[in-house]
């Protein structure tokens, strides 16, 4: 019997499908890159109703020093929820064709609080990402809020995930 050059013993690990000597981005680097490209997300707060169910709402977002900045109205349900309980999460997800679960997404968790003072740096970051928001940013019911990120969950598609 001749030995097949492609045969492996059952205890050998499969050969990688990539060059292991080429550096690849870490999950943290991939997560930062993904959120830098996305300007909308799902803000999840704890509802004011007596049962406190999670409440998800669509928001526009900008980033300052890694923290999401939101411009939200006090009339919005999520703002009422945050005023009562600042615990929140923000999901940003890549869009694309094909299987949506194969795309990347990042969930950031932390306390979301109103930006105090003039909020000049938060304001500048938000306006850079959403120039049209200048129209309504100074309405009395709007304010800038910051999600102070304490945990991040990255999912880069099937089988690629980490905290």
């Amino acid at each position: 019997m001749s030995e097949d050059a492609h045969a492996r013993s059952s205890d050998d690990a499969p050969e990688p499908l990539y060059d292991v000597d080429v550096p690849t981005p870490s999950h943290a680097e991939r997560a930062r890159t993904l959120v830098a490209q996305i300007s909308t997300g799902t803000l999840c707060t704890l509802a004011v109703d007596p049962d406190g169910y999670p409440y998800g709402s669509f928001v526009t977002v900008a980033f300052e020093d890694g923290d999401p900045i939101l411009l939200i109205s006090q009339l919005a349900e999520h703002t009422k929820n945050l005023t009562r309980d600042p615990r929140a999460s923000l999901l940003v997800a890549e869009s694309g064709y094909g299987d949506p679960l194969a795309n990347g997404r990042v969930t950031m968790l932390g306390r979301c609080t109103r930006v105090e003072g003039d909020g000049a740096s938060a304001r500048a970051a938000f306006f850079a990402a959403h120039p049209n928001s200048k129209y309504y940013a100074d309405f009395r019911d709007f304010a800038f809020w910051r999600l102070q990120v304490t945990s991040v969950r990255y999912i880069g598609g099937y089988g690629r995930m980490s905290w």
Side-chain angles (χ1 to χ4, degrees):
M1 232 188 209
S2 68
E3 192 171 317
D4 183 346
H6 297 286
R8 291 189 292 251
S9 67
S10 61
D11 59 351
D12 286 349
E15 185 176 325
L17 299 175
Y18 57 92
D19 185 342
V20 294
D21 296 322
V22 174
T24 59
S26 69
H27 284 183
E29 291 166 324
R30 290 177 190 269
R32 282 191 294 274
T33 300
L34 191 147
V35 299
Q37 300 170 7
I38 298 175
S39 61
T40 60
T42 303
L43 176 66
C44 297
T45 58
L46 298 173
V48 172
D49 73 57
D51 294 325
Y53 285 105
Y55 178 84
S57 53
F58 184 72
V59 294
T60 52
V61 61
F63 292 88
E64 180 191 28
D65 298 327
D67 286 337
I69 301 294
L70 311 167
L71 176 58
I72 53 179
S73 168
Q74 15 179 122
L75 303 175
E77 202 64 31
H78 49 249
T79 309
K80 294 174 188 173
N81 295 341
L82 290 172
T83 300
R84 186 182 65 82
D85 187 335
R87 292 177 296 164
S89 66
L90 179 71
L91 167 69
V92 296
E94 216 173 15
S95 61
Y97 299 104
D99 184 352
L101 295 177
N103 294 328
R105 52 217 180 261
V106 175
T107 302
M108 296 157 277
L109 294 85
R111 297 175 61 81
C112 192
T113 56
R114 187 176 176 151
V115 174
E116 298 300 327
D118 71 357
S121 60
R123 185 178 193 84
F126 199 86
F127 289 166
H130 303 282
N132 290 341
S133 67
K134 292 176 186 177
Y135 171 74
Y136 58 87
D138 292 323
F139 289 1
R140 275 188 319 205
D141 61 307
F142 275 85
F144 291 97
W145 289 67
R146 175 186 309 276
L147 178 65
Q148 296 156 329
V149 177
T150 57
S151 297
V152 175
R153 178 70 171 170
Y154 167 75
I155 300 176
Y158 293 107
R160 294 185 314 262
M161 60 199 76
S162 63
W163 281 100

